[in-house]
Amino acid sequence: MKDYIFSFFRLKESQTSIKQEVLAGFIGFFTVVYIVVVNSLILAEAGIPLEAAIIATILTSVVGCFLMGFYGNVPILLVPGMGINALFSYTIVNSMALTWQEALAVVFVSGILFMIVAFTKLARIVSDSIPVSLKESISVGLGLFLMLIGLEKGGIVERGTNSIIALGSFNDLHVLATVLTFLISIILFLRNVKGNFLITIIVGTFIAWMFGLINVNAGSGQSVHLQEYKSVFGHLSFDKLASIPFWIAVFSLTMVLVFENIGLVNNHVQFINKSERFQKAFRATSISVFLSSLFGTSPTVATVESSASMTAGGKTGLTAVTTGILFICSAFFIPVIKLIPDSAIAPILIIIGGLMLQNIRNLDLKDLSESFPSFFIIAMIPFTYSIADGMAIGFILYPILKIALGKAKEVSLPLYFISSLFLINFLLQYTH
């Protein structure tokens, strides 16, 4: 069995071990498992029963991670995406007046369009047409976004009264727990202690318990019933297929999914120096999106938290498979998982975000027509709290500046087309 695992996942080629991959899978799981609760609550806002949403989220995450592990053979975690779930519930359902069943049909059609892109030459054409400066800036923007999420989870920053963001109160025990956990985490990381992130989660949870921030009794008496899930699985409605709102929703969702995942998957495979695995990983992502509609949840993405697995040593699909198996187990331990505090997870996100920020050194700062669109992507991803919107602004600005400086030929035809699509998507969103 051991030899088969080594051979199937090509562990020797990637200079890794089963122990290292499994540990990385554990780290990835604990970093991203919050999605089970958070995604379910957002889906419930669209009218999907909460218990059914929990099961749908778990099943989609399991299948997504297995697809990426067995087919893509990369340590990328596919789970319902934050931001996209908000687009699903608050925009497509609440604002555009589609039912959640009709919104799942939107995901279904978007998944088909995504697969057409992923399984044809379009994926490579699109990827090759994006300049290096924009690709690198997406990675930096994601890093800044992760840091912001981490700082926010830990209470170190909060919504300000006289400003958008303000420093949190260090009198708050939650903030103190985060700071203490962060100091331990960064020391363990810089000293290259094996399993440093897993140790961080354990120690961080213990610190939060010592501070009285964890109510152990809150995790009891909660179970998940399969009966309610039958009313969600495969319940798509195409009643609005001929309507304009349906196709506006399809266009917007497809744009977000294709370009957000191109950026995420590309950055992840580059992070582990496995760029040749981009195509299979991207295809696995498209299949997962399509299946999300059948399972009854908003679409999956190659989550930014995958970087936690990679930083912990994950290099192959065995990491993703391990996380998928843990998601299966999570169905029985949701109350326990909910006990892990944000103060134990936040330091990991901050450190990973800081690592991704180092890619800014790869930008061409001398050519302002290259750097300014990159700066906008870096700034707007965290400021808008949307990877897709941040990317869109940079992609629209890039050809405009090139044309203004008489460098129109430096922009490829596919990039002109992509930028136009982003612009059309903005116009549709704000004129509908």
Side-chain angles (χ1 to χ4, degrees), residues 416-427:
Y416 277 119
F417 180 69
I418 292 167
S419 301
S420 300
L421 288 178
F422 271 123
L423 183 59
I424 292 169
N425 186 43
F426 270 139
L427 294 175

Side-chain angles (χ1 to χ4, degrees), residues 19 21 35 40 56 59 81 94 128 138 146 152 165 203 224 253 282 339 355 374 388 420:
K19 181 181 178 181
E21 294 294 303
I35 201 69
S40 302
L59 282 177
N94 295 341
D128 290 345
I138 292 170
L146 265 185
E152 186 181 48
I165 296 175
V203 173
V224 178
L253 186 60
F282 192 59
L339 293 179
L355 291 174
S374 299
S420 300

Side-chain angles (χ1 to χ4, degrees), residues 9 28 38 52 66 74 109 146 201 203 221 290 302 315:
F9 292 106
V38 176
F66 281 2
V74 286
V109 176
L146 265 185
I201 292 169
V203 173
F290 173 75
K315 297 179 181 178

Side-chain angles (χ1 to χ4, degrees), residues 196-219:
N196 53 80
F197 285 160
L198 187 57
I199 295 171
T200 296
I201 292 169
I202 295 170
V203 173
T205 302
F206 178 73
I207 290 172
W209 175 75
M210 290 286 290
F211 282 12
L213 300 173
I214 297 177
N215 181 6
V216 179
N217 296 324

Side-chain angles (χ1 to χ4, degrees), residues 104-116:
L104 290 177
V106 169
V107 177
F108 181 89
V109 176
S110 293
I112 292 175
L113 295 175
F114 191 173
M115 285 193 293
I116 290 172

Side-chain angles (χ1 to χ4, degrees), residues 224-353:
V224 178
H225 302 288
L226 289 170
Q227 190 63 34
E228 196 168 18
Y229 182 58
K230 292 180 180 179
S231 64
V232 173
F233 181 79
H235 277 65
L236 290 73
S237 172
F238 292 92
D239 291 346
K240 297 282 182 69
L241 185 64
S243 69
I244 292 176
F246 183 91
W247 287 101
I248 289 176
V250 167
F251 179 77
S252 299
L253 186 60
T254 305
M255 284 285 293
V256 171
L257 289 170
V258 170
F259 292 105
E260 182 171 334
N261 280 296
I262 280 180
L264 286 165
V265 174
N266 182 70
N267 281 302
H268 288 325
V269 294
Q270 283 189 351
F271 191 85
I272 57 171
N273 297 315
K274 297 289 182 182
S275 297
E276 70 278 3
R277 296 184 186 175
F278 170 83
Q279 188 177 56
K280 277 197 169 184
F282 192 59
R283 288 176 177 177
T285 306
S286 70
I287 297 170
S288 179
V289 166
F290 173 75
L291 293 175
S292 299
S293 65
L294 303 178
F295 286 126
T297 179
S298 53
T300 54
V301 299
T303 175
V304 288
E305 286 87 353
S306 300
S307 303
S309 296
M310 298 173 191
T311 308
K315 297 179 181 178
T316 73
L318 182 56
T319 292
V321 170
T322 300
T323 301
I325 293 171
L326 291 172
F327 267 114
I328 296 175
C329 300
S330 71
F332 305 99
F333 297 102
I334 289 173
V336 177
I337 291 167
K338 289 179 69 176
L339 293 179
I340 299 173
D342 285 345
S343 60
I345 300 298
I348 296 173
L349 299 179
I350 294 169
I351 291 171
I352 294 166

